[in-house]
């Protein structure tokens, strides 16, 4: 079994070695090298800044600092908003190695503009008596799981889940590395309590749809997690942002 490639220098060396076998001229060699360098520039590295475009609606996964749900967890809301990337739709992606493989990588998505807020779900709440309880918040417009942004270091969020798994949406068991413009499904594993112990069980997928909800005079297109059959509403295009402007 070969060792996984963990950085972009190894990626270039490995790809160059494989493709040299079919090269018959200097021109072909130069062309192969140019192609490899272009592919490498699209690899998503640890702590890259990315945007996630919802394929079905063409809108970007977004959050707004201190704008909170009025129901459920009352955490910072998540929605799909602009049809172009803007400061509210930028996320810092992190994972264990420099490059992310499709086979075994979990990622976190940190909202850039609010810095310490991560995309996730929460299964803890403070009840009317001030005690912590366990229940996943429901989305504003239906019975799916609410998706929000929150600070995993906050003591109140000991039950905050923000480790996402990504799968290539078109090919089962896709091999390779996460790249800009890949179309993916994002999933998260719920953690429940059984006999006083935490257990991982239900896997749910990130989805948006045309359903909207209101906060004050503003309406937002909903983002949820669900355990239903996958479809077009569950596809996201991950885009590498090379130049970041926060204003």
């Amino acid at each position: 079994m070969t060792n996984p490639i963990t950085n972009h220098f190894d990626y270039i060396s490995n790809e160059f070695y494989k493709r040299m076998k079919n090269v018959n001229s200097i021109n072909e060699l130069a062309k192969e090298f140019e192609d490899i360098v272009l592919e490498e520039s699209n690899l998503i590295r640890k702590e890259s800044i990315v945007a996630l475009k919802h394929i079905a609606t063409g809108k970007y996964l977004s959050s707004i600092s201190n704008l909170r749900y009025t129901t459920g967890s009352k955490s910072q809301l998540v929605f799909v908003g602009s049809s172009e990337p803007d400061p509210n739709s930028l996320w810092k992606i992190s994972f264990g190695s420099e490059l992310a493989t499709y086979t075994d990588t979990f990622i976190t998505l940190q909202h850039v503009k609010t810095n310490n807020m991560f995309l996730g779900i929460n299964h803890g709440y403070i009840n009317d008596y001030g005690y912590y309880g366990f229940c996943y918040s429901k989305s504003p417009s239906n019975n799916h799981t609410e998706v929000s942004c929150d600070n995993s270091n906050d003591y109140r969020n000991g039950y905050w889940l923000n480790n996402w798994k990504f799968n290539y949406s078109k090919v089962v068991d896709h091999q390779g590395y996460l790249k800009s413009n890949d179309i993916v499904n994002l999933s998260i594993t719920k953690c429940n309590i059984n006999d006083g112990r935490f257990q991982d069980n239900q896997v749910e997928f990130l989805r948006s749809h045309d359903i909207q909800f209101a906060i004050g005079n503003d309406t937002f297109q909903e983002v949820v997690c669900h355990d239903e059959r996958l479809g077009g509403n569950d596809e996201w295009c991950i885009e590498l942002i090379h130049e970041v402007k926060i204003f």
Side-chain angles (χ1 to χ4, degrees):
M1 181 176 179
T2 58
N3 293 324
I5 297 170
T6 58
N7 64 66
H8 59 288
F9 298 112
D10 288 345
Y11 176 86
I12 291 176
S13 299
N14 190 65
E15 287 296 312
F16 190 66
Y17 175 77
K18 288 191 298 184
R19 299 187 196 189
M20 277 181 61
K21 298 175 183 179
N22 300 316
V23 166
N24 297 310
S25 70
I26 295 297
N27 288 339
E28 287 182 9
L29 184 66
K31 178 64 166 60
E32 290 289 353
F33 185 75
E34 288 176 1
D35 290 346
I36 292 169
V37 171
L38 179 61
E39 291 174 12
E40 187 275 336
S41 69
N42 285 321
L43 290 172
I44 293 179
R45 303 185 184 108
K46 183 178 182 180
E47 298 192 346
S48 293
I49 303 301
V50 300
L52 287 161
K53 181 169 71 175
H54 186 236
I55 293 297
T57 61
K59 297 178 180 179
Y60 285 84
L61 185 73
S62 304
S63 188
I64 297 176
S65 178
N66 294 321
L67 183 59
R68 297 179 173 270
Y69 291 108
T70 56
T71 61
S73 70
K74 298 185 179 179
S75 297
Q76 185 170 304
L77 68 85
V78 172
F79 61 99
V80 291
S82 173
S83 57
E84 296 290 337
D86 64 18
N88 290 324
S89 64
L90 302 183
W91 305 84
K92 181 190 288 186
I93 185 171
S94 291
F95 35 83
S97 300
E98 186 176 346
L99 302 178
T101 64
Y102 271 90
T103 53
D104 57 3
T105 303
F106 286 90
I107 64 172
T108 60
L109 291 163
Q110 182 179 2
H111 191 235
V112 171
K113 197 167 184 183
T114 46
N115 189 34
N116 63 343
M117 296 291 198
F118 291 82
L119 184 75
I121 60 176
N122 197 325
H123 67 116
Y125 69 98
I126 303 293
N127 63 23
D128 292 337
Y129 302 100
Y131 294 102
Y132 220 76
F134 306 98
C135 180
Y136 287 95
S137 299
K138 301 299 182 183
S139 56
S141 300
N142 56 43
N143 208 36
H144 292 316
T145 305
E146 175 199 276
V147 178
S148 59
C149 268
D150 221 324
N151 181 356
S152 59
N153 293 322
D154 192 320
Y155 76 94
R156 296 168 298 180
N157 295 327
Y159 309 103
W160 175 250
L161 304 177
N162 61 6
N163 288 314
W164 298 86
K165 186 88 167 58
F166 59 93
N167 298 303
Y168 200 71
S169 68
K170 302 298 184 183
V171 180
V172 177
D173 296 326
H174 176 72
Q175 303 294 313
Y177 298 89
L178 186 63
K179 302 187 301 296
S180 186
N181 297 316
D182 280 359
I183 297 176
V184 299
N185 302 125
L186 289 166
S187 63
I188 197 165
T189 302
K190 281 187 169 180
C191 181
N192 291 316
I193 292 181
N194 185 21
D195 295 328
R197 294 175 297 175
F198 288 104
Q199 294 184 337
D200 294 337
N201 45 22
Q202 184 68 55
V203 175
E204 296 199 354
F205 288 85
L206 190 70
R207 165 181 287 180
S208 187
H209 43 210
D210 290 330
I211 297 175
Q212 295 186 334
F213 64 96
I215 296 180
N217 296 322
D218 297 317
T219 57
F220 300 91
Q221 187 173 316
E222 191 172 57
V223 174
V224 301
C225 276
H226 72 94
D227 61 354
E228 300 171 350
R229 184 175 179 177
L230 292 178
N233 283 334
D234 308 305
E235 293 182 338
W236 303 85
C237 179
I238 185 164
E239 299 178 1
L240 181 62
I241 306 298
H242 293 282
E243 184 178 352
V244 178
K245 295 180 180 179
I246 304 298
F247 51 88

